[in-house]
């Protein structure tokens, strides 16, 4: 259950971080009037409240967006590690239960 929760959390976090980072990095195309605006129309309220998001010259939000993308790489690595560890346990279970002799597999003469 914890592994499923971790994968879910990292997956949702990755999607939201990528969406947020691309909003900043693709400005002015993501702002009202831009060709990509329909994908980021929910940001209207956010740019109204947080003026840094609308400021094309704000270096902080640009740097933060690049760091968000780096975080996404780490999230994907975490998802891989969680899934890989689950697969290793599954493989170990399969190997031990299919290749180890049991009492019912013995032939009696």
């Amino acid at each position: 259950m914890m592994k499923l929760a971790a994968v879910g959390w990292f997956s949702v976090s990755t999607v939201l971080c990528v969406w947020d980072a691309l909003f900043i990095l693709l400005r002015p195309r993501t702002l009202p009037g831009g060709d990509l605006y329909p994908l980021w129309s929910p940001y209207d309220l956010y740019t109204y409240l947080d003026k840094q998001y609308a400021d094309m010259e704000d270096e902080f939000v640009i740097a933060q967006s690049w760091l968000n993308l780096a975080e996404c790489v780490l999230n994907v690595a975490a998802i891989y590690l969680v899934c890989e560890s689950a697969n290793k346990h599954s493989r170990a279970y399969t190997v031990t239960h299919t290749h180890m002799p049991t009492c019912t597999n013995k032939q009696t003469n």
Side-chain angles (χ1 to χ4, degrees):
M1 185 64 174
M2 280 301 271
K3 289 182 182 185
L4 180 62
V7 170
W9 175 265
F10 287 126
S11 298
V12 170
S13 175
T14 299
V15 170
L16 292 176
C17 282
V18 167
W19 188 49
D20 186 62
L22 291 179
F23 172 76
I24 295 296
L25 297 175
L26 295 175
R27 292 177 306 175
R29 296 177 65 197
T30 58
L31 295 173
D35 61 327
L36 298 176
Y37 172 71
L39 296 172
W40 281 276
S41 60
Y43 272 82
D44 274 348
L45 178 61
Y46 198 74
T47 56
Y48 175 76
L49 297 173
D50 186 351
K51 301 300 183 195
Q52 287 182 305
Y53 265 64
D55 183 1
M56 299 285 290
E57 303 301 318
D58 191 327
E59 295 175 2
F60 174 79
V61 292
I62 294 169
Q64 180 63 42
S65 295
W66 284 109
L67 290 174
N68 280 349
L69 293 177
E71 176 186 349
C72 292
V73 170
L74 294 175
N75 285 352
V76 171
I79 291 168
Y80 172 78
L81 290 174
V82 166
C83 292
E84 186 61 24
S85 71
N87 289 339
K88 285 181 184 176
H89 294 299
S90 298
R91 280 186 250 141
Y93 178 82
T94 303
V95 168
T96 57
H97 285 58
T98 58
H99 297 299
M100 291 180 70
T102 63
C103 294
T104 56
N105 289 343
K106 290 184 180 177
Q107 290 181 344
T108 57
N109 292 331

